[in-house]
Amino acid sequence: MLPQNHFSAADAAPATAPLFPFVLQLADTSLILAHRLSEWCGHGPVLEQDLAMANIALDLLGEARSYYQYAAELEGQGRTEDDLAYLRSAVEYRNPLLVEQPNHDFAHTILRQFLFDNFHYHLLKALLTCPDAQLAAIAEKSVKEASYHLKWSSEWVIRLGDGTPESRQRLDKAIATLWRFGEELTTPTAMEKALQEVGVLPDYAALKPAMQAHTEYVFAEATLPLPTQVFAQQGGKNGRHTEHLGYLLSELQYMQRTYPGLTW
Amino acid sequence: MNQSEWPLWEVFIRSKQGLDHKHVGSLHAADATMAVQNARDVYTRRLEGVSIWVVESKHIHASNPDDSEAFFDPAADKVYRHPTFYEVPNSIKHM
């Protein structure tokens, strides 16, 4: 773990609550999950789901690009979307820990997706009325995609949970491994709190009832007991990541690191 | 998971309101809900459609290729069945 002062820039609650670090956090989150899903390409359990995951990866990648472009504009220091995506190290990444967790098996991937989609969809819905016009516009485009993602992952949680003994056992294992990462999504950092106080961001507590209701519905359909786990693993949004992110970035950033400035 | 346990479905896509659903291909899915979702992911990625139908392939009954002479050849020399001997008024469009 790095010394505390390494994160002070993002941790401090700035008086004016600049939007840049938050937009960057959204961008990192979508990019990292898009990359994880793209790892399934050519390896999906069936052709149809291979395509479904690639589609969702591309949706998230498109959303990440919108955020990175906007973040670059907000920062105003000449960095481009590519600089932000390809030339920052793991400790500078602000994605929550959940999205960097490895795919493992299909059940792990589905549960990770479900936890993320349930938050993502409700966050985007709230951002539709964000006073920042650009964020509201990106949310408007993305919420339609996120709504399908949530439908897809919910359907699969139900199928795997209420499926065969094998699928149930794999989903149970995924829940035991990943549930601890869900809480970070709705736990605001100092930076997010500052934006919530000035009304730019929705209060995450206000998103929770709808998220909880959806989880309860899906888990009931899946014949799964609601997890009672309270321990929450956090830190990604402040740059303290699990060991998995470094490996992911070394693959994601390989081309730009090896051939700086390379273009297609 | 044994893919061969998933039945085959035929997919029909309506490309625009007002047009009919056209057969575009097939896919595997465990049930109708999954078949519609899979069809969305496999066959409507490039704005191909506004509506999806899926039908389990086993419900489609096809003509037998062995019957094709009896079924189709007799129509070959009956040009009078084509409505090409009528004059279409100029005000009628899209014929």
Side-chain angles (χ1 to χ4, degrees):
Chain A
M1 195 175 292
L2 283 143
Q4 191 57 41
N5 64 2
H6 196 95
F7 309 108
S8 57
D11 277 340
T16 52
L19 206 48
F20 169 72
F22 179 68
V23 176
L24 196 60
Q25 176 183 307
L26 292 176
D28 290 346
T29 305
S30 292
L31 176 67
I32 298 302
L33 187 56
H35 186 84
R36 275 290 182 232
L37 285 171
S38 77
E39 292 172 354
W40 271 107
C41 191
H43 302 274
V46 292
L47 174 74
E48 291 83 356
Q49 298 313 318
D50 195 290
L51 264 173
M53 287 187 280
N55 284 348
I56 295 171
L58 284 170
D59 286 348
L60 291 171
L61 187 63
E63 187 187 354
R65 284 197 61 193
S66 301
Y67 292 136
Y68 278 127
Q69 285 165 2
Y70 186 37
E73 186 188 318
L74 285 169
E75 191 190 36
Q77 294 187 8
R79 284 206 283 183
T80 66
E81 53 173 321
D82 285 346
D83 295 334
L84 293 174
Y86 291 124
L87 301 177
R88 286 156 57 239
S89 62
V91 291
E92 295 171 282
Y93 263 74
R94 287 294 180 267
N95 59 279
L97 299 174
L98 175 72
V99 297
E100 72 201 36
Q101 298 311 303
N103 291 336
H104 292 305
D105 59 12
F106 188 63
H108 268 79
T109 299
I110 288 298
L111 190 79
R112 184 186 62 202
Q113 196 64 33
F114 173 74
L115 289 172
F116 175 73
D117 291 341
N118 197 18
F119 169 69
H120 189 217
Y121 170 70
H122 289 100
L123 174 69
L124 289 173
K125 244 174 72 173
L127 285 177
L128 290 175
T129 53
C130 175
D132 185 85
Q134 184 68 22
L135 261 191
I138 298 172
E140 193 175 339
K141 176 172 181 287
S142 304
V143 75
K144 293 178 199 162
E145 297 168 345
S147 149
Y148 183 76
H149 302 168
L150 181 58
K151 206 176 163 63
W152 179 82
S153 55
S154 301
E155 189 73 35
W156 273 108
V157 169
I158 294 168
R159 282 183 193 286
L160 297 177
D162 190 21
T164 64
E166 173 80 11
S167 71
R168 173 58 175 262
Q169 174 253 322
R170 284 175 185 254
L171 191 60
D172 282 342
K173 210 171 150 201
I175 292 168
T177 310
L178 291 172
W179 201 259
R180 72 192 71 177
F181 296 111
E183 197 63 23
E184 183 180 14
L185 301 172
T186 50
T187 307
T189 60
M191 175 270 287
E192 287 171 300
K193 268 185 204 148
L195 285 167
Q196 286 170 339
E197 275 162 23
V198 294
V200 174
L201 279 193
D203 184 355
Y204 291 163
L207 307 181
K208 279 187 173 179
M211 289 173 61
Q212 178 69 19
H214 184 68
T215 304
E216 281 172 14
Y217 162 74
V218 170
F219 272 54
E221 288 285 304
T223 70
L224 289 163
L226 269 187
T228 49
Q229 188 175 340
V230 285
F231 173 70
Q233 189 82 44
Q234 313 214 13
K237 293 200 290 193
N238 284 319
R240 293 188 299 275
H241 290 282
T242 54
E243 68 274 25
H244 308 297
L245 184 64
Y247 293 103
L248 185 154
L249 287 180
S250 71
E251 191 178 322
L252 175 74
Q253 300 181 331
Y254 167 80
M255 288 295 270
Q256 278 303 316
R257 298 286 193 188
T258 310
Y259 305 100
L262 178 80
T263 55
W264 291 107
Chain B
M1 197 181 301
N2 185 351
Q3 187 181 347
S4 65
E5 290 173 4
W6 285 8
L8 191 66
W9 299 74
E10 301 300 323
V11 181
F12 301 81
I13 304 279
R14 163 180 276 166
S15 57
K16 272 200 301 197
Q17 292 298 349
L19 296 183
D20 48 0
H21 287 72
K22 285 239 162 64
H23 183 242
V24 293
S26 56
L27 48 74
H28 289 96
D31 58 27
T33 308
M34 192 198 285
V36 170
Q37 282 195 4
N38 287 354
R40 183 265 189 194
D41 284 322
V42 177
Y43 291 111
T44 67
R45 310 173 73 220
R46 301 179 182 88
L47 278 181
E48 289 96 335
V50 295
S51 168
I52 297 170
W53 286 353
V54 293
V55 179
E56 210 177 327
S57 306
K58 70 177 182 192
H59 295 307
I60 292 182
H61 301 271
S63 60
N64 187 337
D66 295 343
D67 294 337
S68 64
E69 276 186 24
F71 267 44
F72 307 117
D73 287 359
D77 60 354
K78 299 188 173 62
V79 289
Y80 51 85
R81 286 179 181 168
H82 293 270
T84 50
F85 302 103
Y86 300 92
E87 283 187 22
V88 178
N90 288 334
S91 56
I92 305 289
K93 306 272 193 257
H94 309 301
M95 282 291 281

